[in-house]
Amino acid sequence: MECERPRNLKELIATVLSHESVHFVGFGRHLVTEHEGHCVSLSEFNRVLEVSNSDLYVTVEPGAHVNEVKEVLRTRNLFLPVHHDGSIGGLLGLNLPSEFSFWFGYPSDLVLEAKTLTGLGEVVRTGAKTPKFSSGYKVYKALAGALGLLGAYLEVTLRVFPRPEVIAYLKVRNGLKALESPVRPWGGIVRNFGELETFVTVGGWREKVDKAEEALNALSSSEERPGLEEAESCNRVV
């Protein structure tokens, strides 16, 4: 099925109102079958609208690629603790955990404010560009993980953090003990490289990460360690 690609909000609203069922995709990569309704790609909504170093947030459109947003933030010495090979809309639509989620939470926990489009073609803005906002219904969080069934993001403001000096993925034998240890890792991942291997994510100043590695070494007899990841590149080590 070919996807319609509206270029602006007016075209998008007209598309939504002219079809009984609409299926939103970020880049048109997904397999869309006939019963899923009319296909609409939000790939044209791909701008980074605002970055605030002082208030620690970034406002983006749903079609922006996560890695491109993280690269923009890198130039501002900021960090978005998520991992997703796709769009911001896809990241929030799935709301899956990553190797940073034990400390920073799910993607929905990073959402501060959002402008959304309902199935009736109404544009709704909820939330505020501050983590302490608590007035009204949190519609901006309700859409996360709903796979587009409750509406579509038009703009979303995400909380970001000062960029750590080092991010390290440390191999451990007992991931549960590592997560419960005083080291307080950011999260963990399990990968199968012929055999199951568990890594925990630790970030911060280099001295702190070095001490964390020493502490976690007591929980694992393995001498294999992925190298430390410099904050300038911030790509996955494993």
Side-chain angles (χ1 to χ4, degrees), residues 128-189:
K129 295 175 180 177
T130 168
K132 295 187 179 297
F133 178 80
S134 60
S135 176
Y137 295 105
K138 297 183 178 180
V139 177
Y140 56 98
K141 289 186 181 290
L143 264 63
L147 301 176
L149 295 176
L150 301 179
Y153 284 107
L154 299 175
E155 297 176 9
V156 59
T157 298
L158 300 170
R159 185 180 182 185
V160 297
F161 300 84
R163 190 167 187 79
E165 182 182 12
V166 173
I167 299 173
Y169 298 87
L170 307 177
K171 183 179 177 182
V172 296
R173 284 192 176 275
N174 192 318
L176 182 59
K177 282 187 176 181
L179 291 174
E180 294 176 343
S181 71
V183 172
R184 301 291 299 276
W186 286 355
I189 51 177

